[in-house]
Amino acid sequence: MSLPEHEPQQPQPYPQASGAYPPPPPYEPAAPMHAGPGTTIWPGNGDGGTPPGNPDSPRPRRARRSVGLIAAVAIAAAAVGGGTATLIERWTGNGTTASAPGVSGTNASRSTNGTVAGVAQAVSPSIVEISATSSSGESTGSGVIVTSGGEIVTNNHVVAGSDQVKVRTSDGKTYTASVVGTDPDKDLALIKVQGASGLKPASLGNSDNLRVGDQVVAIGSPEGLTGTVTSGIVSALNRDVTVAKEQGQGQGQGDTQGQGRGRGGWPFEFGGQQFNGDTGSSKTTYKAIQTDASLNPGNSGGALIDMNGNIIGINSAMYSPSSASASSSSAGSVGLGFAIPINTVKADLDSLRSGSGSGGGSGANS
């Protein structure tokens, strides 16, 4: 008995229940690449892991981890110097790109205020050297240009009794000057150079605003050293200083440079005592600014200047430890100098211009 021939039985797939398995992917999974022992790299398309052909699949959230890392760096930076918000904005792209904070400042090369060098550069063209010649010799002092036409303020004792006055400006030019008016009671004089124009006048400040301790600069021609600059502070105000009205009175000869003449400081009195020689019988007293800026014979008539470049006084007297009979090598400033307040000068200018100062106009006319 032969068995009927049956076709081979094909294996039947295991019945699938609906939803028992996920549907097969519509793409061929990429095979991993082995870069070396212990390292496996799964290829991607560079967009954060989105499977190719399946744009709806969720992307891994790498950005959140980056922001968290940046925030941690920013907080660490804030512990050193602040700026967390700036760092987060700059690196996460929130708003516009942040720029480094600006710093306000001043170009030092453009500013001359507040430094001795700046004051000297600005004011020196307005300070002159004065040489006054008389029958008894020659004296050297300083002066301050107050008008571009050549009006110059100086001390009366610099030009009193002179037969000829010469003025030398900071650029080396020499002019002949005439005495317009003098005021021996205030130890002031006004002279004017001949044939000059376009001179640089100084800026006259307000001496009423001075305070003890304010920084000042002095410019003059001590011992004929034109354009010498010294600096210091206002060490006292309203000193009653008594000086001789005319040059040559008493033992000291002030700013004299003549051969055989004494070179002690201009004689003055303070507190009932005489300094640098006898002031003689003809003398006057005024309120003075005291300064420790170095003043020496020849500074008389020069400028005492504030740190804004304004003239706040006319240097007029100085204390020297040497007597009139001592040699010039031992004479010198010890930090006690006096200046006539510029407000006194401004109040007297009109009288000096008219030649009707306390002492009237006198002196050289050549």
Side-chain angles (χ1 to χ4, degrees):
M1 179 174 167
S2 62
L3 296 173
E5 291 186 4
H6 296 280
E7 294 201 6
Q9 296 281 333
Q10 296 295 329
Q12 296 295 322
Y14 190 81
Q16 293 186 0
S18 176
Y21 292 98
Y27 59 89
E28 184 71 19
M33 296 181 292
H34 298 280
T39 303
T40 301
I41 301 175
W42 288 88
N45 62 357
D47 65 350
T50 302
N54 189 9
D56 295 329
S57 298
R59 301 182 183 184
R61 299 183 178 179
R62 283 203 238 170
R64 179 175 298 173
R65 194 172 77 179
S66 300
V67 172
L69 177 60
I70 293 171
V73 173
I75 292 172
V80 178
T84 304
T86 301
L87 284 173
I88 293 176
E89 262 190 64
R90 183 172 182 179
W91 293 107
T92 60
N94 294 335
T96 57
T97 302
S99 58
V103 177
S104 299
T106 301
N107 189 334
S109 64
R110 295 184 180 180
S111 176
T112 59
N113 291 340
T115 66
V116 175
V119 170
Q121 181 181 5
V123 183
S124 288
S126 302
I127 312 302
V128 301
E129 178 185 311
I130 298 175
S131 298
T133 305
S134 67
S135 57
S136 58
E138 180 181 344
S139 66
T140 300
S142 306
V144 177
I145 300 172
V146 293
T147 64
S148 59
E151 286 186 334
I152 296 170
V153 169
T154 187
N155 287 139
N156 174 66
H157 72 255
V158 172
V159 297
S162 59
D163 300 319
Q164 185 181 63
V165 176
K166 294 288 186 180
V167 169
R168 183 182 181 188
T169 56
S170 62
D171 58 5
K173 295 180 180 179
T174 301
Y175 301 91
T176 298
S178 59
V179 177
V180 177
T182 63
D183 190 344
D185 288 340
K186 297 178 181 176
D187 196 16
L188 291 173
L190 183 69
I191 65 174
K192 186 173 182 179
V193 297
Q194 300 173 2
S197 62
L199 300 181
K200 182 178 180 180
S203 172
L204 305 185
N206 186 353
S207 52
D208 288 344
N209 292 337
L210 285 177
R211 298 175 300 173
V212 173
D214 282 348
Q215 289 184 295
V216 289
V217 175
I219 304 180
S221 301
E223 300 290 352
L225 302 175
T226 305
T228 296
V229 177
T230 58
S231 65
I233 63 168
V234 173
S235 55
L237 294 168
N238 299 316
R239 290 295 198 202
D240 286 320
V241 175
T242 301
V243 298
K245 283 189 177 183
E246 302 293 338
Q247 181 182 15
Q249 290 185 343
Q251 298 173 15
Q253 299 301 321
D255 300 328
T256 55
Q257 299 286 321
Q259 185 175 2
R261 303 282 298 278
R263 291 191 180 183
W266 182 253
F268 70 96
E269 295 178 6
F270 176 74
Q273 293 182 306
Q274 296 180 338
F275 300 94
N276 305 339
D278 184 8
T279 55
S281 59
S282 179
K283 51 194 176 184
T284 186
T285 302
Y286 55 80
K287 299 287 186 180
I289 302 166
Q290 181 179 303
T291 178
D292 69 350
S294 180
L295 301 181
N296 290 283
N299 274 114
S300 289
L304 191 66
I305 313 156
D306 66 18
M307 300 309 290
N308 292 319
N310 299 313
I311 311 299
I312 46 88
I314 299 297
N315 299 321
S316 58
M318 45 81 63
Y319 168 73
S320 173
S322 64
S323 66
S325 59
S327 65
S328 61
S329 61
S330 64
S333 172
V334 293
L336 284 174
F338 303 95
I340 302 168
I342 199 62
N343 285 5
T344 301
V345 178
K346 290 191 291 186
D348 204 32
L349 267 178
D350 287 341
S351 295
L352 292 172
R353 285 179 174 133
S354 66
S356 58
S358 299
S362 63
N365 292 304
S366 57

